[in-house]
Amino acid sequence: MTSYGQFCPVAKAMELLDERWTILVVRELLLGSRHFNDLRRGVPKMSPALLTKRLRTLERAGVIRRTEVGGRSVYTLTDKGEELNEVVDALSAWGIRWIGELGDADLDPHLLMWDIHRSMPIDRWPRRRAVLEFTFRDVIGKAGSWWLVVSEGTPQVCDFDPGYDIDGTVVTDLRTLTEVWRGDIDWRTALADNTITIMAPAEIRREVPDWIGQSESAAVPRPA
């Protein structure tokens, strides 16, 4: 860790937290990721080697603990780490209010679909197994098609056809769905201007926006 050579508590905290990716790893742990592969899906552009290094640093600092369960490493936040929840929430709210512009490099279908699947309101989905297909018009190749499956209250995101009957298909571009998820625009606006099209029976079309919802950041007030 880099030392700022200051007694200031902010400086001391940032000696640990301002290393690249560190606060995002903490964010993933706060959101419930416990295994290495789940953490990787939340930071898909971070190398496995660097993730391993950051986890070791956080463990040495007493922010996380690592245990072995069934031969797999399980990472959990300590009380010290849980206190960072308020820090991450504050950064998220500040970022959505004041650093709102998204460049093309910020758009990532893997991260978007992973975040949607773990945060969407499962209680609004049907009690039966339900499947939504997502097609990104502007994403070339395999990453342009995704499936969300909810069965018995358990969500799953797939980058391959799971082979189940499809309830509906959401056709859009990556930027639009990202902006809807963040709360930059709402579902009604995107559907009205046809930047999102839902191909499904009428009763399903009406329900899909409630099935997906928006991220917590959508509730953050924005400057006029």
Side-chain angles (χ1 to χ4, degrees):
M1 294 185 292
T2 300
S3 173
Y4 287 105
Q6 294 191 9
F7 63 81
C8 168
V10 174
K12 299 306 294 180
M14 294 308 291
E15 287 177 2
L16 172 67
L17 298 176
D18 78 344
E19 288 190 303
R20 184 171 172 82
W21 296 105
T22 296
I23 201 70
L24 298 186
V25 173
V26 172
R27 177 201 67 192
E28 291 306 303
L29 290 160
L30 287 166
L31 288 171
S33 293
R34 294 291 176 265
H35 298 102
F36 190 87
N37 286 341
D38 290 341
L39 289 165
R40 283 272 292 136
R41 296 189 79 170
V43 283
K45 296 180 181 179
M46 185 181 189
S47 73
L50 185 54
L51 175 56
T52 297
K53 182 178 179 180
R54 293 292 182 263
L55 288 170
R56 288 173 177 167
T57 298
L58 289 169
E59 186 178 6
R60 286 196 299 270
V63 173
I64 66 173
R65 66 173 61 88
R66 181 175 63 87
T67 56
E68 293 289 330
V69 178
R72 296 180 68 191
S73 293
V74 178
Y75 299 93
T76 54
L77 290 160
T78 62
D79 290 344
K80 181 178 179 179
E82 290 287 353
E83 281 195 26
L84 289 169
N85 189 40
E86 293 182 11
V87 176
V88 173
D89 281 350
L91 283 171
S92 176
W94 187 85
I96 202 71
R97 272 198 296 268
W98 301 111
I99 315 292
E101 184 176 348
L102 295 177
D104 289 343
D106 300 322
L107 305 176
D108 187 331
H110 299 82
L111 178 56
L112 175 62
M113 297 307 299
W114 176 253
D115 201 35
I116 289 175
H117 114 278
R118 67 181 171 186
S119 304
M120 61 189 182
I122 302 302
D123 58 333
R124 298 182 185 175
W125 284 65
R127 294 294 176 260
R128 59 174 175 80
R129 181 172 59 210
V131 182
L132 287 180
E133 180 182 19
F134 289 76
T135 299
F136 294 116
R137 294 181 292 244
D138 57 333
V139 177
I140 298 172
K142 186 172 179 288
S145 296
W146 295 80
W147 290 261
L148 288 177
V149 181
V150 175
S151 180
E152 298 182 352
T154 300
Q156 182 182 7
V157 61
C158 304
D159 59 359
F160 57 88
D161 188 343
Y164 303 129
D165 291 339
I166 304 295
D167 290 273
T169 300
V170 178
V171 181
T172 185
D173 59 84
L174 181 56
R175 178 177 291 277
T176 295
L177 188 59
T178 302
E179 290 176 344
V180 168
W181 181 242
R182 282 166 39 102
D184 301 326
I185 57 177
D186 57 27
W187 277 97
R188 180 175 297 187
T189 299
L191 291 167
D193 64 18
N194 293 317
T195 51
I196 291 182
T197 301
I198 300 172
M199 298 187 297
E203 65 273 15
I204 298 294
R205 285 202 308 273
R206 289 192 295 268
E207 295 293 334
V208 166
D210 287 334
W211 291 3
I212 304 304
Q214 293 177 290
S215 70
E216 290 185 2
S217 65
V220 175
R222 314 297 171 91

